[in-house]
Amino acid sequence: MKGSLWAWILHRITAVLLVVLVAIHFGIMHFVDPTAVITFADSQMRLQSALYLVVDSGLLVLGLYHGLNGIRNVVLDYWPRSGRVVGWILAVIGVVAVGYGSMALAAFLSQ
């Protein structure tokens, strides 16, 4: 299979997983204790739980892949010959963004 086919399949899979993770996140944040005031300390305490950490990390990684792959698809529609260059540039942006987002999540854990 070509790389574009795998990108297309992964784009659809990440869309489904993002809907599931957003539903879990929304359910936890708005229905578990709807009267709670969300503070930094509460967020830090929640992120000690593996469920919150998995959901937030999943949203970070899957959201970035889905968004950057969507940008790649739009660029390839207008400039079909720029495939490899655009792919590498967006891959680097994705790795940097996941690293930065992971550091932000880790900041909640270390305090």
Side-chain angles (χ1 to χ4, degrees):
M1 284 194 224
K2 291 181 104 179
S4 296
L5 178 61
W6 278 111
W8 183 86
I9 290 170
L10 286 174
H11 198 76
R12 275 35 181 198
I13 291 171
T14 57
V16 171
L17 291 174
L18 280 169
V19 168
V20 170
L21 289 176
V22 167
I24 291 170
H25 180 78
F26 187 78
I28 290 170
M29 297 304 294
H30 297 285
F31 295 121
V32 170
D33 188 6
T35 61
V37 176
I38 299 172
T39 63
F40 182 81
D42 291 336
S43 297
Q44 185 179 16
M45 187 179 70
R46 277 193 214 105
L47 278 173
Q48 300 296 324
S49 166
L51 175 65
Y52 285 99
L53 195 58
V54 167
V55 169
D56 286 352
S57 299
L59 285 171
L60 171 68
V61 173
L62 295 174
L64 275 168
Y65 175 81
H66 189 80
L68 291 174
N69 190 40
I71 291 171
R72 178 186 160 272
N73 290 334
V74 169
V75 170
L76 290 179
D77 281 346
Y78 287 102
W79 298 285
R81 295 183 184 198
S82 66
R84 272 202 183 184
V85 173
V86 171
W88 279 106
I89 290 171
L90 291 176
V92 169
I93 290 171
V95 167
V96 169
V98 165
Y100 187 70
S102 298
M103 287 180 0
L105 283 175
F108 278 97
L109 297 174
S110 65
Q111 302 248 346

XYZ file of all heavy atoms in Angstrom:
854
model
N 0.834 -1.187 0.000
C 0.000 0.000 0.000
C 0.875 1.245 0.000
O 1.906 1.277 0.628
C -0.878 0.016 1.245
C -2.028 -0.920 1.183
S -3.197 -0.534 2.483
C -3.545 -2.162 3.046
N 0.374 2.244 -0.659
C 1.106 3.487 -0.713
C 0.935 4.266 0.585
O -0.002 4.055 1.337
C 0.601 4.330 -1.876
C 0.954 3.761 -3.227
C 0.449 4.651 -4.292
C 1.635 5.404 -4.835
N 1.339 6.296 -5.905
N 1.853 5.191 0.816
C 1.807 6.016 2.021
C 0.536 6.841 2.114
O 0.005 7.080 3.201
N 0.030 7.296 0.983
C -1.180 8.113 1.000
C -2.389 7.315 1.464
O -3.267 7.851 2.135
C -1.452 8.690 -0.385
O -0.425 9.569 -0.754
N -2.431 6.046 1.124
C -3.542 5.210 1.568
C -3.500 5.032 3.076
O -4.522 5.121 3.762
C -3.522 3.857 0.868
C -4.632 2.892 1.299
C -6.001 3.483 1.002
C -4.464 1.557 0.627
N -2.297 4.780 3.618
C -2.170 4.637 5.066
C -2.524 5.940 5.772
O -3.141 5.932 6.843
C -0.770 4.188 5.455
C -0.605 2.715 5.310
C 0.157 2.069 4.389
C -1.246 1.706 6.086
N 0.038 0.713 4.553
C -0.829 0.464 5.590
C -2.149 1.731 7.143
C -1.259 -0.744 6.119
C -2.580 0.529 7.674
C -2.138 -0.687 7.171
N -2.122 7.071 5.198
C -2.471 8.368 5.790
C -3.982 8.548 5.790
O -4.559 9.050 6.765
C -1.787 9.497 5.022
N -4.640 8.134 4.724
C -6.095 8.248 4.635
C -6.768 7.366 5.692
O -7.693 7.793 6.379
C -6.557 7.850 3.230
C -8.019 7.993 2.998
C -8.666 9.130 2.596
C -9.020 6.984 3.157
N -10.006 8.877 2.492
C -10.263 7.567 2.834
C -8.987 5.650 3.526
C -11.446 6.867 2.874
C -10.180 4.948 3.572
C -11.394 5.563 3.247
N -6.296 6.121 5.820
C -6.878 5.198 6.797
C -6.656 5.717 8.216
O -7.579 5.729 9.039
C -6.273 3.787 6.621
C -6.770 3.166 5.314
C -6.613 2.887 7.806
C -6.054 1.891 4.919
N -5.428 6.160 8.519
C -5.143 6.677 9.861
C -5.921 7.950 10.162
O -6.290 8.200 11.311
C -3.640 6.917 10.022
C -2.794 5.658 10.173
C -1.316 6.010 10.172
C -3.171 4.905 11.431
N -6.182 8.745 9.141
C -6.979 9.958 9.330
C -8.389 9.582 9.798
O -8.940 10.222 10.699
C -7.031 10.753 8.027
C -7.437 12.172 8.189
N -6.578 13.123 8.679
C -8.602 12.803 7.939
C -7.194 14.284 8.710
N -8.436 14.111 8.266
N -8.973 8.564 9.203
C -10.318 8.113 9.600
C -10.308 7.484 10.979
O -11.197 7.709 11.784
C -10.870 7.107 8.578
C -11.557 7.673 7.356
C -10.965 8.901 6.885
N -11.595 9.513 5.728
C -10.973 10.397 5.006
N -9.735 10.733 5.273
N -11.583 10.980 4.004
N -9.283 6.680 11.274
C -9.194 6.033 12.588
C -9.027 7.076 13.684
O -9.681 7.003 14.733
C -8.038 5.011 12.599
C -8.383 3.830 11.703
C -7.734 4.544 14.017
C -7.223 2.878 11.465
N -8.153 8.065 13.451
C -7.967 9.101 14.472
C -9.230 9.916 14.670
O -9.515 10.355 15.786
C -6.786 10.030 14.138
O -6.989 10.622 12.853
C -5.475 9.287 14.161
N -10.008 10.103 13.619
C -11.269 10.839 13.768
C -12.212 10.112 14.721
O -12.801 10.724 15.626
C -11.940 11.036 12.408
N -12.337 8.808 14.550
C -13.215 8.015 15.423
C -12.684 8.029 16.855
O -13.440 8.235 17.810
C -13.347 6.577 14.882
C -14.068 5.690 15.876
C -14.064 6.585 13.537
N -11.376 7.822 17.020
C -10.793 7.819 18.359
C -10.911 9.185 19.032
O -11.142 9.269 20.247
C -9.329 7.386 18.293
C -9.086 5.928 17.939
C -7.589 5.660 17.759
C -9.679 5.010 18.982
N -10.773 10.253 18.261
C -10.933 11.593 18.831
C -12.360 11.825 19.323
O -12.559 12.421 20.387
C -10.549 12.669 17.806
C -9.061 12.915 17.659
C -8.789 13.789 16.442
C -8.491 13.545 18.909
N -13.342 11.350 18.579
C -14.736 11.493 19.023
C -14.940 10.747 20.340
O -15.559 11.267 21.274
C -15.716 10.996 17.930
C -17.123 10.866 18.474
C -15.686 11.927 16.736
N -14.383 9.548 20.443
C -14.514 8.763 21.682
C -13.813 9.472 22.837
O -14.382 9.620 23.929
C -13.952 7.338 21.476
C -13.845 6.601 22.797
C -14.810 6.572 20.486
N -12.575 9.922 22.622
C -11.833 10.585 23.694
C -12.469 11.907 24.109
O -12.488 12.237 25.299
C -10.380 10.798 23.280
C -9.519 9.544 23.200
C -8.120 9.879 22.691
C -9.438 8.858 24.547
N -12.973 12.661 23.160
C -13.650 13.916 23.500
C -14.915 13.627 24.295
O -15.229 14.337 25.258
C -13.950 14.754 22.230
C -14.915 15.878 22.518
C -12.662 15.317 21.673
N -15.634 12.580 23.945
C -16.834 12.210 24.707
C -16.466 11.817 26.135
O -17.140 12.219 27.094
C -17.570 11.074 24.005
N -15.387 11.048 26.298
C -14.931 10.671 27.638
C -14.518 11.918 28.415
O -14.908 12.113 29.569
C -13.772 9.660 27.559
C -14.266 8.323 27.026
C -13.102 9.479 28.920
C -13.146 7.355 26.688
N -13.734 12.775 27.780
C -13.271 13.999 28.430
C -14.457 14.881 28.832
O -14.518 15.388 29.951
C -12.334 14.751 27.483
C -11.792 16.023 28.041
N -10.773 16.049 28.948
C -12.141 17.312 27.825
C -10.510 17.308 29.264
N -11.329 18.093 28.595
N -15.384 15.054 27.925
C -16.561 15.870 28.202
C -17.386 15.265 29.334
O -17.843 15.964 30.235
C -17.416 16.004 26.935
C -18.555 16.962 27.086
C -18.343 18.323 27.019
C -19.844 16.507 27.292
C -19.391 19.210 27.155
C -20.901 17.379 27.431
C -20.676 18.744 27.369
N -17.563 13.951 29.306
C -18.318 13.278 30.357
C -17.673 13.430 31.718
O -18.338 13.712 32.716
N -16.366 13.252 31.770
C -15.649 13.371 33.044
C -15.706 14.808 33.561
O -15.975 15.050 34.737
C -14.182 12.918 32.879
C -14.108 11.418 32.656
C -13.358 13.315 34.092
C -12.727 10.939 32.258
N -15.447 15.750 32.696
C -15.348 17.140 33.136
C -16.696 17.761 33.484
O -16.765 18.637 34.343
C -14.651 17.990 32.068
C -13.227 17.575 31.793
S -12.182 17.548 33.251
C -12.123 19.254 33.673
N -17.763 17.327 32.827
C -19.033 18.014 33.002
C -20.116 17.208 33.710
O -21.121 17.777 34.129
C -19.558 18.491 31.646
C -18.649 19.485 31.001
N -18.549 20.785 31.416
C -17.754 19.342 29.986
C -17.641 21.424 30.673
N -17.151 20.562 29.803
N -19.923 15.896 33.830
C -20.983 15.098 34.433
C -20.576 14.368 35.711
O -21.430 13.936 36.457
C -21.541 14.096 33.427
C -22.219 14.757 32.267
C -21.778 14.531 30.971
C -23.279 15.623 32.455
C -22.393 15.149 29.902
C -23.899 16.242 31.393
C -23.461 16.004 30.118
N -19.284 14.193 35.961
C -18.862 13.506 37.181
C -19.179 14.359 38.396
O -19.785 13.909 39.353
C -17.360 13.146 37.116
C -16.863 12.655 38.462
C -17.130 12.090 36.055
N -18.771 15.615 38.389
C -19.097 16.551 39.459
C -19.330 17.921 38.820
O -18.428 18.763 38.783
C -17.967 16.617 40.484
C -18.350 17.431 41.708
O -19.523 17.837 41.815
O -17.469 17.650 42.556
N -20.554 18.165 38.322
C -20.799 19.401 37.572
C -20.723 20.669 38.419
O -20.602 21.761 37.881
C -22.209 19.211 37.014
C -22.828 18.158 37.845
C -21.727 17.314 38.379
N -20.758 20.546 39.739
C -20.701 21.747 40.578
C -19.276 22.128 40.949
O -19.062 23.166 41.561
C -21.507 21.518 41.876
O -20.920 20.424 42.591
C -22.961 21.220 41.563
N -18.308 21.294 40.611
C -16.917 21.549 41.000
C -16.352 22.752 40.249
O -16.595 22.938 39.060
C -16.062 20.325 40.725
N -15.595 23.545 40.969
C -14.857 24.649 40.369
C -13.504 24.088 39.945
O -12.816 23.448 40.737
C -14.681 25.806 41.370
C -13.841 26.908 40.765
C -16.030 26.328 41.812
N -13.139 24.320 38.707
C -11.895 23.756 38.183
C -10.755 24.724 38.488
O -10.743 25.864 38.023
C -12.005 23.500 36.671
C -13.121 22.503 36.405
C -10.676 22.980 36.129
C -13.437 22.316 34.950
N -9.815 24.262 39.291
C -8.635 25.043 39.634
C -7.396 24.284 39.175
O -7.467 23.119 38.791
C -8.548 25.268 41.159
O -8.399 24.004 41.805
C -9.793 25.981 41.673
N -6.254 24.962 39.254
C -4.999 24.312 38.879
C -4.733 23.109 39.767
O -4.321 22.048 39.293
C -3.843 25.310 38.967
C -2.527 24.715 38.545
C -2.197 24.616 37.209
C -1.632 24.240 39.490
C -0.993 24.053 36.810
C -0.427 23.675 39.109
C -0.104 23.591 37.764
N -4.978 23.269 41.068
C -4.735 22.161 42.002
C -5.644 20.971 41.690
O -5.207 19.814 41.759
C -4.946 22.631 43.431
N -6.900 21.242 41.336
C -7.812 20.150 40.966
C -7.360 19.464 39.679
O -7.421 18.240 39.562
C -9.237 20.670 40.806
C -9.854 21.100 42.121
O -9.414 20.603 43.177
O -10.781 21.937 42.080
N -6.919 20.252 38.720
C -6.424 19.670 37.467
C -5.185 18.822 37.715
O -5.035 17.743 37.144
C -6.096 20.772 36.468
O -7.245 21.491 36.129
N -4.323 19.313 38.582
C -3.121 18.566 38.919
C -3.482 17.255 39.606
O -2.908 16.206 39.304
C -2.246 19.413 39.830
C -0.931 18.790 40.155
C -0.115 19.704 41.053
O -0.632 20.640 41.643
N 1.160 19.419 41.151
N -4.451 17.294 40.500
C -4.876 16.085 41.191
C -5.507 15.091 40.207
O -5.262 13.895 40.262
C -5.874 16.435 42.294
C -6.248 15.262 43.165
S -7.376 15.718 44.460
C -8.863 16.041 43.527
N -6.323 15.596 39.274
C -6.956 14.716 38.293
C -5.923 14.035 37.404
O -6.074 12.875 37.045
C -7.919 15.510 37.412
C -9.249 15.700 38.027
C -10.230 16.200 36.979
N -11.155 17.089 37.619
C -11.153 18.410 37.503
N -10.292 18.995 36.721
N -12.022 19.144 38.133
N -4.891 14.775 37.019
C -3.885 14.201 36.121
C -3.018 13.150 36.806
O -2.235 12.471 36.143
C -3.016 15.294 35.509
C -3.643 15.968 34.297
C -2.811 17.142 33.848
C -3.816 14.983 33.159
N -3.131 12.989 38.098
C -2.439 11.894 38.783
C -3.098 10.558 38.437
O -2.487 9.515 38.563
C -2.456 12.112 40.302
C -1.773 13.385 40.764
C -0.292 13.419 40.460
O 0.388 12.405 40.527
N 0.208 14.600 40.108
N -4.350 10.619 38.001
C -5.075 9.413 37.614
C -4.642 8.982 36.209
O -4.476 9.812 35.305
C -6.576 9.689 37.622
O -7.281 8.668 36.967
N -4.477 7.688 36.032
C -4.045 7.166 34.730
C -5.085 7.442 33.643
O -4.723 7.718 32.498
C -3.776 5.672 34.830
N -6.379 7.399 33.996
C -7.419 7.641 32.998
C -7.309 9.039 32.402
O -7.329 9.205 31.186
C -8.810 7.449 33.608
C -9.986 7.800 32.694
C -10.038 6.855 31.509
C -11.283 7.792 33.462
N -7.177 10.038 33.253
C -7.052 11.414 32.758
C -5.798 11.579 31.916
O -5.821 12.244 30.882
C -6.996 12.397 33.928
C -8.314 12.624 34.600
C -8.638 11.968 35.770
C -9.242 13.504 34.065
C -9.851 12.169 36.400
C -10.451 13.716 34.682
C -10.757 13.054 35.852
O -11.947 13.254 36.461
N -4.709 10.990 32.364
C -3.452 11.119 31.641
C -3.536 10.455 30.267
O -3.082 11.024 29.277
C -2.310 10.516 32.457
C -0.911 10.871 32.019
C -0.696 12.379 32.033
C 0.101 10.190 32.914
N -4.153 9.286 30.199
C -4.303 8.594 28.913
C -5.216 9.387 27.983
O -4.914 9.564 26.797
C -4.834 7.155 29.123
C -5.283 6.534 27.816
C -3.780 6.293 29.778
N -6.338 9.887 28.517
C -7.274 10.650 27.688
C -6.614 11.925 27.178
O -6.672 12.238 25.982
C -8.571 10.962 28.471
C -9.417 11.977 27.730
C -9.368 9.693 28.698
N -5.950 12.675 28.059
C -5.328 13.929 27.626
C -4.157 13.686 26.674
O -3.989 14.416 25.693
C -4.881 14.739 28.838
C -6.044 15.372 29.570
O -7.183 15.313 29.044
O -5.832 15.934 30.659
N -3.354 12.666 26.936
C -2.249 12.348 26.025
C -2.788 11.882 24.670
O -2.248 12.242 23.624
C -1.363 11.263 26.622
O -0.807 11.686 27.828
N -3.838 11.086 24.699
C -4.459 10.643 23.451
C -5.016 11.794 22.643
O -4.850 11.855 21.420
N -5.679 12.726 23.341
C -6.193 13.906 22.636
C -5.058 14.713 22.018
O -5.175 15.210 20.892
C -7.004 14.780 23.592
C -8.384 14.263 23.961
C -8.983 15.101 25.081
C -9.304 14.263 22.755
N -3.957 14.835 22.748
C -2.802 15.575 22.239
C -2.244 14.926 20.974
O -2.152 15.567 19.924
C -1.719 15.659 23.320
C -0.367 16.218 22.887
C -0.496 17.703 22.562
C 0.670 15.988 23.959
N -1.900 13.658 21.059
C -1.230 12.979 19.943
C -2.181 12.788 18.763
O -1.836 13.105 17.614
C -0.647 11.626 20.408
C -0.112 10.828 19.237
C 0.435 11.850 21.449
N -3.372 12.274 19.031
C -4.312 12.019 17.931
C -4.801 13.311 17.293
O -4.955 13.390 16.068
C -5.493 11.193 18.434
C -5.162 9.781 18.898
C -6.391 9.127 19.520
C -4.629 8.945 17.772
N -5.034 14.335 18.113
C -5.475 15.624 17.567
C -4.418 16.251 16.674
O -4.725 16.790 15.604
N -3.169 16.184 17.118
C -2.090 16.735 16.288
C -1.934 15.957 14.987
O -1.785 16.554 13.918
C -0.775 16.736 17.065
C -0.572 17.940 17.952
C 0.593 17.725 18.904
C -0.338 19.175 17.108
N -1.951 14.630 15.070
C -1.819 13.848 13.838
C -2.972 14.172 12.883
O -2.753 14.417 11.692
C -1.797 12.338 14.113
C -1.786 11.566 12.813
C -0.604 11.384 12.122
C -2.963 11.090 12.245
C -0.589 10.722 10.904
C -2.965 10.435 11.035
C -1.775 10.257 10.368
O -1.768 9.624 9.159
N -4.194 14.168 13.416
C -5.363 14.399 12.577
C -5.314 15.793 11.936
O -5.569 15.938 10.736
C -6.635 14.234 13.422
C -7.885 14.239 12.637
N -8.334 13.129 11.954
C -8.803 15.209 12.413
C -9.468 13.423 11.336
N -9.766 14.687 11.610
N -4.970 16.787 12.724
C -4.916 18.155 12.199
C -3.809 18.353 11.187
O -4.021 18.950 10.119
N -2.615 17.858 11.505
C -1.493 18.043 10.582
C -1.674 17.218 9.311
O -1.284 17.658 8.222
C -0.177 17.682 11.279
C 0.250 18.649 12.382
C 1.475 18.124 13.109
C 0.498 20.032 11.839
N -2.276 16.046 9.419
C -2.558 15.260 8.218
C -3.618 15.962 7.356
O -3.547 15.915 6.130
C -3.008 13.848 8.589
C -3.071 12.944 7.388
O -2.208 12.991 6.518
N -4.100 12.120 7.331
N -4.560 16.615 8.001
C -5.546 17.395 7.241
C -4.892 18.546 6.493
O -5.217 18.815 5.328
N -3.958 19.228 7.146
C -3.211 20.304 6.476
C -2.420 19.737 5.308
O -2.388 20.323 4.221
C -2.286 21.017 7.478
C -3.120 21.801 8.492
C -1.303 21.931 6.759
C -2.330 22.352 9.646
N -1.794 18.585 5.520
C -1.039 17.923 4.446
C -1.932 17.632 3.247
O -1.554 17.855 2.094
C -0.424 16.626 4.979
C 0.325 15.831 3.959
C 0.777 14.479 4.541
N 1.069 13.550 3.491
C 0.197 12.741 2.915
N -1.050 12.717 3.321
N 0.553 11.939 1.939
N -3.141 17.146 3.510
C -4.069 16.833 2.423
C -4.463 18.083 1.643
O -4.560 18.049 0.416
C -5.312 16.137 2.964
C -5.014 14.740 3.452
O -4.070 14.109 3.001
N -5.806 14.267 4.398
N -4.697 19.172 2.348
C -5.066 20.422 1.668
C -3.909 20.915 0.807
O -4.096 21.307 -0.351
C -5.485 21.496 2.698
C -5.619 22.859 2.050
C -6.782 21.098 3.381
N -2.697 20.893 1.366
C -1.519 21.338 0.598
C -1.322 20.457 -0.630
O -1.045 20.957 -1.732
C -0.264 21.349 1.496
C 0.997 21.569 0.677
C -0.395 22.410 2.576
N -1.495 19.145 -0.479
C -1.309 18.246 -1.620
C -2.389 18.420 -2.679
O -2.148 18.136 -3.861
C -1.262 16.791 -1.160
C -0.015 16.395 -0.363
C -0.091 14.940 0.057
C 1.246 16.669 -1.152
N -3.570 18.883 -2.292
C -4.599 19.178 -3.292
C -4.176 20.325 -4.192
O -4.460 20.324 -5.395
C -5.922 19.538 -2.615
C -6.683 18.320 -2.136
O -6.325 17.196 -2.549
O -7.639 18.498 -1.351
N -3.500 21.328 -3.628
C -3.097 22.494 -4.414
C -1.715 22.330 -5.056
O -1.463 22.867 -6.121
C -3.111 23.750 -3.538
C -4.515 24.197 -3.225
C -5.078 23.935 -1.982
C -5.283 24.852 -4.172
C -6.374 24.334 -1.688
C -6.579 25.249 -3.891
C -7.116 24.992 -2.653
O -8.402 25.380 -2.373
N -0.794 21.636 -4.371
C 0.559 21.431 -4.875
C 0.920 19.956 -4.764
O 1.640 19.537 -3.849
C 1.555 22.281 -4.092
C 1.292 23.738 -4.214
C 1.543 24.539 -5.274
C 0.687 24.570 -3.217
N 1.139 25.822 -5.009
C 0.605 25.875 -3.747
C 0.204 24.351 -1.926
C 0.061 26.925 -3.041
C -0.347 25.404 -1.223
C -0.402 26.675 -1.784
N 0.469 19.133 -5.709
C 0.665 17.681 -5.602
C 2.131 17.233 -5.585
O 2.447 16.186 -5.049
C -0.028 17.135 -6.849
C -0.790 18.244 -7.448
C -0.283 19.514 -6.877
N 3.022 18.012 -6.147
C 4.429 17.601 -6.213
C 5.205 17.893 -4.933
O 6.366 17.541 -4.826
C 5.119 18.292 -7.383
C 4.556 17.850 -8.700
C 5.292 18.479 -9.834
N 4.655 18.100 -11.086
C 5.233 18.204 -12.246
N 6.449 18.683 -12.332
N 4.596 17.839 -13.323
N 4.574 18.536 -3.968
C 5.290 18.916 -2.750
C 5.131 17.892 -1.632
O 5.390 18.192 -0.471
C 4.786 20.275 -2.273
O 3.422 20.159 -1.878
N 4.736 16.675 -1.976
C 4.390 15.662 -0.992
C 5.434 15.373 0.071
O 5.160 15.427 1.262
N 6.651 15.045 -0.336
C 7.682 14.672 0.639
C 8.104 15.841 1.504
O 8.267 15.693 2.706
C 8.905 14.133 -0.074
C 8.747 12.695 -0.283
C 10.029 12.033 -0.474
N 9.609 10.665 -0.723
C 10.393 9.685 -0.878
N 11.674 9.891 -0.844
N 9.934 8.485 -1.077
N 8.291 16.984 0.893
C 8.742 18.158 1.651
C 7.696 18.538 2.700
O 8.027 18.736 3.870
C 9.020 19.341 0.693
C 9.330 20.609 1.467
C 10.149 18.997 -0.253
N 6.450 18.608 2.281
C 5.377 18.963 3.201
C 5.242 17.912 4.293
O 5.065 18.240 5.478
C 4.037 19.135 2.438
C 2.875 19.277 3.395
C 4.116 20.332 1.527
N 5.351 16.648 3.916
C 5.268 15.572 4.896
C 6.340 15.689 5.972
O 6.060 15.555 7.166
N 7.563 15.960 5.568
C 8.657 16.085 6.534
C 8.514 17.332 7.401
O 8.771 17.288 8.608
C 10.003 16.093 5.826
C 10.462 14.710 5.487
C 10.473 14.132 4.254
C 10.941 13.727 6.398
N 10.923 12.843 4.332
C 11.229 12.569 5.647
C 11.152 13.695 7.767
C 11.717 11.409 6.226
C 11.641 12.538 8.340
C 11.922 11.418 7.578
N 8.133 18.428 6.802
C 7.950 19.661 7.581
C 6.864 19.474 8.629
O 7.039 19.819 9.807
C 7.624 20.851 6.651
C 8.848 21.226 5.824
C 7.139 22.056 7.450
C 8.578 22.230 4.727
N 5.739 18.897 8.233
C 4.645 18.687 9.188
C 5.004 17.618 10.223
O 4.560 17.713 11.372
C 3.364 18.326 8.437
C 2.767 19.475 7.620
C 1.568 18.993 6.827
C 2.391 20.647 8.495
N 5.810 16.643 9.844
C 6.257 15.639 10.821
C 7.132 16.279 11.893
O 6.981 15.994 13.089
C 7.005 14.513 10.114
N 8.020 17.159 11.489
C 8.872 17.862 12.459
C 8.019 18.747 13.363
O 8.203 18.763 14.591
C 9.966 18.681 11.729
C 10.678 19.621 12.683
C 10.957 17.749 11.057
N 7.074 19.472 12.766
C 6.172 20.302 13.570
C 5.394 19.434 14.551
O 5.233 19.799 15.722
C 5.216 21.102 12.654
C 5.984 22.170 11.898
C 4.083 21.730 13.460
C 5.186 22.859 10.810
N 4.935 18.285 14.107
C 4.190 17.380 14.977
C 5.021 16.862 16.134
O 4.555 16.819 17.279
N 6.260 16.465 15.861
C 7.138 15.958 16.924
C 7.427 17.060 17.945
O 7.384 16.826 19.160
C 8.442 15.386 16.318
C 9.489 15.138 17.384
C 8.146 14.109 15.555
N 7.706 18.255 17.462
C 7.959 19.386 18.374
C 6.714 19.692 19.201
O 6.800 19.896 20.418
C 8.432 20.629 17.583
C 8.450 21.871 18.460
C 9.802 20.374 16.981
N 5.552 19.703 18.572
C 4.313 20.009 19.291
C 3.972 18.926 20.316
O 3.525 19.238 21.424
C 3.167 20.185 18.297
N 4.182 17.658 19.980
C 3.939 16.581 20.948
C 4.926 16.703 22.110
O 4.554 16.521 23.281
C 4.035 15.190 20.280
C 4.142 14.086 21.314
C 2.833 14.953 19.391
N 6.167 17.028 21.820
C 7.153 17.226 22.888
C 6.766 18.370 23.805
O 6.825 18.245 25.037
N 6.335 19.473 23.219
C 5.933 20.642 24.008
C 4.676 20.334 24.828
O 4.598 20.672 26.012
C 5.687 21.823 23.071
C 5.424 23.120 23.794
C 6.435 23.757 24.494
C 4.164 23.699 23.772
C 6.192 24.950 25.152
C 3.914 24.886 24.433
C 4.941 25.509 25.117
O 4.697 26.676 25.776
N 3.710 19.663 24.222
C 2.493 19.290 24.938
C 2.760 18.286 26.040
O 2.155 18.347 27.116
N 3.679 17.368 25.798
C 4.046 16.397 26.822
C 4.728 17.079 28.000
O 4.514 16.706 29.159
C 4.973 15.336 26.243
O 4.323 14.632 25.218
N 5.538 18.087 27.712
C 6.162 18.845 28.800
C 5.102 19.578 29.619
O 5.221 19.670 30.845
C 7.186 19.840 28.239
C 8.447 19.188 27.756
S 9.744 20.268 27.079
C 9.136 21.897 27.176
N 4.078 20.072 28.954
C 3.002 20.754 29.676
C 2.247 19.772 30.567
O 1.923 20.092 31.710
C 2.044 21.420 28.690
N 1.967 18.578 30.064
C 1.308 17.566 30.899
C 2.218 17.124 32.049
O 1.756 16.908 33.169
C 0.916 16.359 30.051
C -0.315 16.523 29.173
C -0.509 15.294 28.294
C -1.546 16.778 29.994
N 3.506 17.009 31.769
C 4.449 16.601 32.808
C 4.562 17.665 33.895
O 4.792 17.339 35.061
C 5.827 16.327 32.197
N 4.365 18.926 33.540
C 4.409 19.995 34.540
C 3.309 19.812 35.576
O 3.493 20.118 36.755
C 4.293 21.357 33.865
N 2.171 19.304 35.149
C 1.087 19.040 36.097
C 1.451 17.895 37.035
O 1.022 17.858 38.173
C -0.210 18.684 35.357
C -0.969 19.858 34.865
C -0.838 20.289 33.560
C -1.819 20.541 35.700
C -1.551 21.361 33.100
C -2.546 21.630 35.256
C -2.404 22.051 33.940
N 2.209 16.948 36.550
C 2.553 15.774 37.350
C 3.657 16.045 38.365
O 3.700 15.433 39.425
C 2.989 14.624 36.437
C 1.930 14.093 35.482
C 2.542 13.074 34.552
C 0.766 13.510 36.248
N 4.563 16.963 38.050
C 5.735 17.150 38.891
C 5.507 18.103 40.055
O 6.339 18.191 40.935
C 6.896 17.653 38.041
O 6.596 18.939 37.532
N 4.419 18.823 40.061
C 4.216 19.830 41.121
C 3.711 19.223 42.384
O 2.989 18.436 42.602
C 3.248 20.882 40.631
C 3.753 21.538 39.392
C 4.131 22.977 39.587
O 3.794 23.569 40.580
N 4.835 23.517 38.649
